[in-house]
Amino acid sequence: MYLSINIDELKDLIANNHIMLIDVRSKDEYIEKHIPIAGNLPIELIESGAFIPEPGKIIITACGKGGGRSERAANYLRDHYQNTVYFLEGGTFGWFEHETN
């Protein structure tokens, strides 16, 4: 089982599947810079159970650099729901670095 995906794999999923990309950082961090298709749902709300994902939807979590909060949120969602869940390697900053290369 793969727990993370890279930016190229995310782009393939965006093009071919019904996904939900969740930026798990704070609202202020999200406002500063985020991946254009990402919604904002801070990790604290995810871990409080306030978010229940749509069944069957692939979920990708992202934070600033990838890992840390996004991996924690992905693990929580994977443990509590039946969705396929990944965290994004490189995170938001990696996405923008990839876009400039």
Side-chain angles (χ1 to χ4, degrees):
M1 170 177 17
Y2 295 100
L3 302 178
S4 65
I5 62 171
N6 65 41
I7 291 165
D8 289 326
E9 291 168 325
L10 173 59
K11 288 183 177 191
D12 288 343
L13 283 175
I14 290 169
N16 298 316
N17 288 305
H18 188 61
I19 67 161
M20 178 176 216
L21 178 60
I22 303 172
D23 189 318
V24 300
R25 299 174 301 151
S26 71
K27 182 179 178 182
D28 289 340
E29 289 171 298
Y30 176 81
I31 289 170
E32 185 177 317
K33 180 180 260 190
H34 62 273
I35 299 169
I37 67 160
N40 181 228
L41 190 63
I43 189 168
E44 296 82 13
L45 290 177
I46 292 171
E47 291 178 334
S48 75
F51 169 69
I52 299 173
E54 180 183 325
K57 190 171 269 195
I58 296 170
I59 300 172
I60 296 98
T61 58
C63 59
K65 295 181 181 178
R69 289 178 282 179
S70 62
E71 183 175 5
R72 195 171 103 200
N75 288 337
Y76 177 89
L77 292 168
R78 205 176 292 111
D79 289 346
H80 290 83
Y81 303 99
Q82 298 298 312
N83 298 69
T84 300
V85 184
Y86 304 102
F87 71 90
L88 180 62
E89 297 170 10
T92 300
F93 301 137
W95 171 274
F96 285 100
E97 287 173 14
H98 190 271
E99 290 295 296
T100 60
N101 293 331

